[in-house]
Amino acid sequence: MSKIKIGVITASDRASKGIYEDISGVAIQDTMKEYLKSEFEIVYRCIPDEQDVLEATMKELCDDAGCCLVVTTGGTGPAPRDVTPEATENVCEKMMPGFGELMRQVSLQYVPTAILSRQTAGIRGKSLIINLPGKPKSIRECLDAVFPAVPYCIDLIEGPFIETNEDVIKAFRPKAK
């Protein structure tokens, strides 16, 4: 069986130009290394905050690279160039609003500005796309909240079986009847 592929997309004009280091994309990759017991590989892209580029990159990682999970960081705020949720909605067949609802709920425990965040998630074919905020601390808080449901979601869309490191995070799967 081939390795599980996980896409990581950083949407940042400055990081994509090398003006500063992409610490958010690294934070997602480090978190996946802690979370996952299954063998996997990361397919990483750091791109500008351009909706057409975001959409093309999401399609590439889902359709061509075969990523069962694509995690984005950046572009979820209210600023004019924050277009990641719009790109996600345009490429997905089904939206999964519960992910964004839970992430905002968790983030509100730390900062009142969490209500400004527009994280969401959706399904494209056999891929789950999750939009995360841009700060590494927020990325971890949000992933800790939603990731227990991710492996089962990927099961339901006929993706690969993902096993987590239960010392770090426990995946929830309903008991067989």
Side-chain angles (χ1 to χ4, degrees), residues 89-164:
E89 288 178 23
N90 281 351
V91 303
C92 287
E93 293 98 29
K94 294 180 182 178
M95 295 307 296
M96 304 293 290
F99 281 85
E101 292 164 7
L102 180 56
M103 289 187 279
R104 278 184 291 282
Q105 182 183 30
V106 166
S107 294
L108 276 167
Q109 297 171 25
Y110 303 99
V111 293
T113 53
I115 61 170
L116 302 177
S117 188
R118 301 177 312 118
Q119 301 107 280
T120 191
I123 305 295
R124 178 179 178 83
K126 293 184 179 185
S127 304
L128 171 63
I129 300 172
I130 303 174
N131 302 153
L132 296 173
K135 303 256 184 296
K137 183 177 180 292
S138 301
I139 287 168
R140 183 59 184 246
E141 291 162 358
C142 289
L143 280 173
D144 283 350
V146 301
F147 205 85
V150 168
Y152 184 55
C153 180
I154 292 171
D155 291 348
L156 291 171
I157 60 174
E158 301 174 353
F161 186 83
I162 294 177
E163 194 176 356
T164 60

Side-chain angles (χ1 to χ4, degrees), residues 6-70:
I6 297 176
V8 175
I9 301 172
T10 298
S12 167
D13 292 329
R14 291 176 288 182
S16 69
K17 291 177 184 162
I19 295 169
Y20 63 69
E21 184 185 352
D22 174 23
I23 58 173
S24 301
V26 171
I28 294 170
Q29 293 177 58
D30 290 344
T31 301
M32 292 300 140
K33 289 172 189 166
E34 285 183 52
Y35 280 0
L36 298 181
K37 195 171 178 179
S38 299
E39 262 194 74
F40 70 98
E41 71 178 88
I42 297 284
V43 182
Y44 169 75
R45 303 286 184 271
C46 184
I47 60 174
D49 279 309
E50 297 287 345
Q51 188 167 339
D52 59 337
V53 176
L54 273 158
E55 289 178 19
T57 304
M58 289 177 192
K59 288 176 183 177
E60 175 215 344
L61 295 184
C62 295
D63 303 350
D64 303 331
C67 296
C68 63
L69 174 63
V70 175

